[in-house]
Amino acid sequence: MAVPLRIQSDWAQALRKDEGEAWLSCHPPGKPTLYGSLTCQGIGLDGIPEVTASEGFIVNEINKKSIHISCPKENASSKFLAPYTTFSRIHTKSITCLDISSGGGLGVSSSTDGSMKIWQASNGELRRVLEGHVFDVNCCRFFPSGLVVLSGGMDAQLKIWSAEDASCVVTFKGHKGGILDTAIVDRGKNVVSASRDGTARLWDCGRSACLGVIADCGSSINGVAVGTADNSINLGSPEQMPSEREVGTESKMLLLAREDKKLQCLGLQSRQPVFLFIGSDAFNCCSFLSGFLLLAGTQDGNIYQLDVRSPRAPVQVIHRSGAPVMSLLSFRDGFIASQGDGSSFIVQQDLDYVIELTGADCDPVYKVATWEKQIYTCCRDGLVRRYQLSDL
């Protein structure tokens, strides 16, 4: 994995003025950090600044919103992307979660200001306020239809909302602790919730009933993911006949990111163990990349890539900083990760550089969502940032 490069968070503004400067640094593991700077030598007729780098760094390419920097000595290369636009009026405090609807038209987000809101993805304009949870909302996401929202709160309740009129249509009760993450099974007849109470539960949306406790691990479950298993993976058989209200659970794996440093995988329908992997610290988040590859991120900054077919040893461990890994999202032929130090970055197989999403300065980026070539992040600084990959 490439050696991390860092840049001043507001580099795009700083380099817009003549003789404007922005700092740079390169962080080779186990070696001293290399520091450098970028200087604007003037603005071209196309509005793009002419930028030079200090010794040891090279500017490969620059556009209005992106700059590609290399540090040849450490074989490091990153493309830094500035936000296309920033939404500052959705929430007043830290934004803990966000999602974008399948059609790309709407966003939903939750904040420590106690609110959950639906907004227009193009301009951040407020559309609906979803009121009904007591205390903070921890997680929110759209169903595949894009018309319905699933949320989980510190009040141990899971709720389903209409995005059209903001009504709460279903409330699931049963957890004894705050809900930390959710997953939607197939088209959403069933959903999974993960809680601080150490359980993951499967729910029937049509009857607003719990179909079962899938796992009870005695440790807070921070993140959950559902994925379709490759044919070669043995998910085991259920001990009892599954309820006819279970829809789409067969051939699905359930992945649990646990506070007790364990990553647990089981058959969603069978409830049988597939593997248990012990990491370096608490697992915060997890995501499937394919029918057998998955990612999981820890509190001490490790991103583990595992193969379900041979999970004893990781395929690779990516460690860019000691900051907690906050979110992981499969993207194209790679993934997007965000961390507690304000970094979020895209790793793609066919690129020999990392794409860094800049703008957050030391504030954790809690969640990332995508729609086509647009990427949205939410941050402790109370901002939603939207990036356009076409700006690369």
Side-chain angles (χ1 to χ4, degrees):
M1 179 68 195
V3 172
L5 287 171
R6 302 220 167 92
I7 198 169
Q8 185 172 316
S9 62
D10 62 350
W11 63 269
Q13 285 92 335
L15 296 174
R16 270 209 198 108
K17 39 191 187 285
D18 218 2
E19 294 183 16
E21 281 200 337
W23 59 260
L24 271 177
S25 56
C26 178
H27 301 257
K31 290 196 215 162
T33 299
L34 303 166
Y35 294 98
S37 63
L38 298 168
T39 308
C40 174
Q41 308 291 351
I43 309 288
L45 292 172
D46 53 5
I48 295 170
E50 310 233 345
V51 174
T52 54
S54 59
E55 195 183 341
F57 295 92
I58 293 171
V59 179
N60 302 315
E61 187 191 4
I62 181 163
N63 295 318
K64 279 185 182 167
K65 295 282 184 186
S66 73
I67 187 166
H68 187 180
I69 307 283
S70 297
C71 175
K73 182 175 171 229
E74 295 300 337
N75 199 18
S77 186
S78 287
K79 210 171 238 199
F80 297 98
L81 184 59
Y84 175 78
T85 182
T86 300
F87 304 143
S88 58
R89 302 217 306 271
I90 300 172
H91 294 285
T92 54
K93 287 188 181 166
S94 172
I95 305 174
T96 48
C97 193
L98 95 166
D99 193 25
I100 301 295
S101 65
S102 52
L106 295 176
V108 63
S109 54
S110 58
S111 165
T112 57
D113 64 14
S115 70
M116 175 167 49
K117 297 177 178 178
I118 291 177
W119 35 275
Q120 216 152 310
S122 57
N123 58 13
E125 204 172 286
L126 189 62
R127 298 291 294 274
R128 296 277 180 268
V129 179
L130 306 179
E131 292 175 311
H133 278 287
V134 190
F135 314 126
D136 283 356
V137 181
N138 290 329
C139 46
C140 53
R141 65 169 70 239
F142 283 99
F143 276 78
S145 68
L147 304 172
V148 186
V149 168
L150 176 68
S151 66
M154 285 312 282
D155 57 6
Q157 296 185 49
L158 192 64
K159 287 177 178 283
I160 296 178
W161 312 77
S162 160
E164 293 170 301
D165 66 5
S167 60
C168 176
V169 288
V170 174
T171 299
F172 299 111
K173 293 181 179 175
H175 278 294
K176 310 262 188 306
I179 292 166
L180 301 177
D181 199 13
T182 62
I184 292 172
V185 183
D186 276 0
R187 291 181 43 213
K189 289 204 162 50
N190 293 173
V191 297
V192 176
S193 58
S195 166
R196 199 163 265 187
D197 66 13
T199 67
R201 290 171 180 256
L202 182 69
W203 306 87
D204 170 3
C205 296
R207 290 197 182 154
S208 59
C210 182
L211 291 170
V213 175
I214 308 286
D216 186 351
C217 46
S219 168
S220 181
I221 303 172
N222 297 323
V224 62
V226 170
T228 304
D230 187 78
N231 295 335
S232 61
I233 295 161
N234 178 13
L235 297 179
S237 303
E239 286 168 12
Q240 294 150 348
M241 187 73 181
S243 157
E244 79 282 356
R245 301 293 302 177
E246 275 193 37
V247 182
T249 55
E250 69 282 354
S251 78
K252 297 288 191 307
M253 300 177 282
L254 179 67
L255 194 58
L256 306 175
R258 295 169 31 171
E259 184 67 25
D260 61 1
K261 305 187 183 180
K262 290 176 181 153
L263 182 70
Q264 180 180 358
C265 182
L266 28 87
L268 181 55
Q269 188 183 73
S270 70
R271 325 283 206 256
Q272 301 296 323
V274 176
F275 73 78
L276 189 67
F277 177 84
I278 299 171
S280 55
D281 203 348
F283 280 99
N284 290 336
C285 51
C286 54
S287 177
F288 284 102
L289 293 175
S290 71
F292 52 85
L293 281 178
L294 61 93
L295 292 174
T298 60
Q299 185 66 17
D300 60 356
N302 283 326
I303 298 172
Y304 290 90
Q305 186 179 352
L306 296 178
D307 187 326
V308 181
R309 300 165 302 183
S310 54
R312 284 213 176 103
V315 178
Q316 62 170 337
V317 182
I318 295 166
H319 185 92
R320 291 168 53 85
S321 82
V325 182
M326 298 314 224
S327 74
L328 290 164
L329 180 66
S330 172
F331 182 69
R332 297 189 179 172
D333 60 354
F335 65 89
I336 308 177
S338 72
Q339 288 187 266
D341 57 2
S343 68
S344 42
F345 56 93
I346 309 172
V347 175
Q348 285 182 271
Q349 277 173 353
D350 55 348
L351 296 183
D352 55 357
Y353 56 85
V354 177
I355 298 169
E356 304 270 355
L357 305 173
T358 63
D361 184 17
C362 306
D363 278 303
V365 176
Y366 289 118
K367 200 82 180 176
V368 180
T370 60
W371 185 73
E372 294 190 347
K373 284 191 166 182
Q374 296 166 26
I375 299 172
Y376 296 76
T377 64
C378 67
C379 181
R380 190 174 68 188
D381 61 14
L383 300 177
V384 170
R385 292 178 174 86
R386 176 176 144 213
Y387 301 85
Q388 301 264 107
L389 280 188
S390 50
D391 284 342
L392 289 168

